[in-house]
Amino acid sequence: MPFTPLHLGPGIALKAGLGERFSLLAFGLAQVAMDLEPLIGLISGAPILHGVTHTYPAALVIGLAVAAITPPLGRPILRRWNRELTYYRLDRLVRPAILVRGSVMLGALSGTLSHVALDSLMHADMQPLSPWSSANGWLGAIPMSALFWGCVISSVLGAAVWLIRRWFERSGGRHA
């Protein structure tokens, strides 16, 4: 299914660990960009849904493109996010609508590359090392249930760690 939220799990965990050095927004936009090809394939009835865009070389190109478009797309999204948080009195979670080039690049590239890696584990129509190889040696390397739960757990734990970090950053490290 295109645009699966499960791909965000590793990104949320990376955000928790790297903080401001990692753009979760760029990571999320990269996930959507990667799944445009499968979406178009589903709509058009294509026999292969994970084609050229689901290769590591294409993922690098798409990651660079996402890094370039994230600032103009991301600033309005962040402003809206902050307004919603403020409205619901969640000011501790408000972030500046500033997108740092390095964190955006890391988010976008890790988003596209992790997307190929995760999809390689479950989609038989993938050739992640194309044009050098048509093999997908990762297919079935772990059970689908482990892949699913790994993404869910990384999401939940990452979100919990991120929220705790934000709480302590705002309270100056003091216990409430």
Side-chain angles (χ1 to χ4, degrees):
M1 172 171 120
F3 311 118
T4 175
L6 292 175
H7 280 283
L8 290 176
I12 294 170
L14 285 169
K15 180 66 174 178
L18 296 172
E20 297 305 313
R21 295 178 303 241
F22 179 83
S23 172
L24 184 58
L25 179 60
F27 187 93
L29 291 173
Q31 299 305 320
V32 172
M34 288 297 292
D35 272 340
L36 290 175
E37 179 188 35
L39 175 64
I40 293 167
L42 282 172
I43 292 169
S44 67
I48 294 177
L49 299 179
H50 301 89
V52 69
T53 65
H54 281 66
T55 65
Y56 287 108
L60 287 170
V61 172
I62 294 167
L64 293 172
V66 168
I69 66 166
T70 293
L73 286 177
R75 284 186 202 101
I77 294 169
L78 284 173
R79 285 193 295 269
R80 174 63 188 252
W81 171 259
N82 286 337
R83 279 195 309 272
E84 291 293 322
L85 290 172
T86 301
Y87 177 80
Y88 290 104
R89 297 187 178 147
L90 296 170
D91 296 335
R92 289 180 182 267
L93 302 179
V94 169
R95 303 303 306 154
I98 299 168
L99 295 164
V100 178
R101 186 178 308 157
S103 66
V104 167
M105 186 67 71
L106 181 59
L109 289 173
S110 63
T112 57
L113 294 171
S114 70
H115 192 104
V116 172
L118 291 173
D119 276 6
S120 294
L121 295 167
M122 63 182 291
H123 294 295
D125 62 348
M126 290 211 28
Q127 298 177 6
L129 298 175
S130 181
W132 303 287
S133 171
S134 61
N136 181 359
W138 286 51
L139 182 62
I142 63 172
M144 288 289 292
S145 60
L147 179 60
F148 172 83
W149 285 110
C151 288
V152 169
I153 290 168
S154 66
S155 179
V156 171
L157 289 178
V161 168
W162 184 78
L163 288 168
I164 290 167
R165 283 183 67 178
R166 294 295 303 141
W167 177 267
F168 280 104
E169 286 172 8
R170 291 291 184 163
S171 64
R174 293 170 283 144
H175 298 285

